[in-house]
Amino acid sequence: MLASELSTRPIAFGRADGRPAGWAVSNGLVDYPQALAAMQARADAIAEGRADELVWLLEHPPLYTAGVSSQATDLLQPDRFPVFEAGRGGQYTYHGPGQRVAYVMLDLRERERDVRRFVQALEAWIVGALDAFAVKGEVKPGRIGVWVERRSAGLPPREDKIAAIGVRLRKWVSFHGISLNVEPDLSHFTGIVPCGITAHGVTSLVDLGLPVTLDEADAALKASFRRVFGAVEDAPPPL
């Protein structure tokens, strides 16, 4: 599915009652084990009716995470950065400064109990955010995440990944989420085979020649989230 198809077939994944999701942003780098524990605790609280939905934006220090489908051979430099078992879908991915991670804790019982539609909504969210910077994000059959096509004079087109998606559901509440490359050190991705794909590269908004800040990326993500998932309201981070 291309970005143009997403724009002509808008995906709405809002709550039937219109209740806003919390929107939290952490400043500075957040250690992965603490973030994972806080995210899982919040998802459990949502499932039990003790907490509201939350989208949590943050940055991690440089690290690799292994999804449930990861292959040991895809970890090319195991001693380069800390490696964590994430428990999410997908394979190996990198997190680090300059990359906006958004953990998405939504109650699909109040939206749609449809995993495929939920993933499509996450894709549409990212594509809509990229639209704010005139970047055409694309979703490719058989590949997870959002991609951009690069063209250089005299060379064939190249497809690079700009955003990753890895989610998990428990009791129909989601956790984990997306990561958008704003200005990470792209050389850090060379320690893994990102998402198990060797035929394509990785890019970022700044690598595409766009001097986008994290704050600007956050504003684009927030506006696009509202279009796809509905209202948000500012909330404190879970740690």
Side-chain angles (χ1 to χ4, degrees):
M1 184 181 295
L2 302 181
S4 60
E5 291 174 315
L6 282 171
S7 63
T8 57
R9 295 165 50 195
I11 293 176
F13 209 82
R15 289 178 63 113
D17 59 8
R19 188 171 180 176
W23 187 271
V25 181
S26 287
N27 296 316
L29 302 181
V30 181
D31 287 338
Y32 188 79
Q34 288 85 346
L36 184 64
M39 174 178 55
Q40 291 175 336
R42 181 60 174 253
D44 289 341
I46 294 169
E48 295 166 5
R50 298 185 287 106
D52 294 328
E53 295 180 316
L54 183 69
V55 180
W56 181 21
L57 278 63
L58 49 78
E59 290 177 278
H60 287 305
L63 57 92
Y64 299 128
T65 66
V68 295
S69 301
S70 58
Q71 304 292 322
T73 53
D74 288 341
L75 182 58
L76 305 178
Q77 299 176 19
D79 299 324
R80 186 171 185 181
F81 297 126
V83 182
F84 298 96
E85 296 290 335
R88 54 159 172 77
Q91 302 183 46
Y92 279 103
T93 193
Y94 165 78
H95 294 315
Q99 181 191 70
R100 178 52 86 205
V101 173
Y103 290 132
V104 183
M105 291 152 275
L106 299 181
D107 190 347
L108 271 61
R109 298 170 301 184
E110 302 294 335
R111 294 174 181 270
E112 291 184 51
R113 299 191 190 213
D114 188 325
V115 177
R116 184 170 181 271
R117 282 272 299 172
F118 176 51
V119 173
Q120 289 175 338
L122 294 173
E123 293 167 343
W125 172 29
I126 298 167
V127 168
L130 293 174
D131 281 344
F133 307 106
V135 173
K136 182 182 179 182
E138 298 182 347
V139 178
K140 299 294 183 178
R143 294 190 231 150
I144 301 297
V146 175
W147 303 76
V148 296
E149 187 176 275
R150 313 284 297 272
R151 291 183 177 272
S152 300
L155 296 175
R158 183 179 101 202
E159 293 173 355
D160 288 343
K161 191 171 191 176
I162 196 168
I165 298 173
V167 292
R168 183 175 175 183
L169 296 179
R170 188 160 60 206
K171 298 180 181 178
W172 288 104
V173 174
S174 67
F175 53 111
H176 295 286
I178 71 164
S179 58
L180 173 64
N181 295 333
V182 181
E183 192 180 6
D185 185 337
L186 296 180
S187 71
H188 290 179
F189 285 88
T190 61
I192 57 172
V193 178
C195 300
I197 296 174
T198 58
H200 304 282
V202 179
T203 191
S204 69
L205 288 168
V206 170
D207 183 53
L208 293 173
L210 302 168
V212 177
T213 67
L214 276 177
D215 286 344
E216 290 169 335
D218 290 352
L221 285 167
K222 195 174 193 179
S224 183
F225 186 92
R226 285 185 173 125
R227 291 191 293 270
V228 177
F229 292 96
V232 298
E233 60 183 8
D234 291 340
L239 62 76

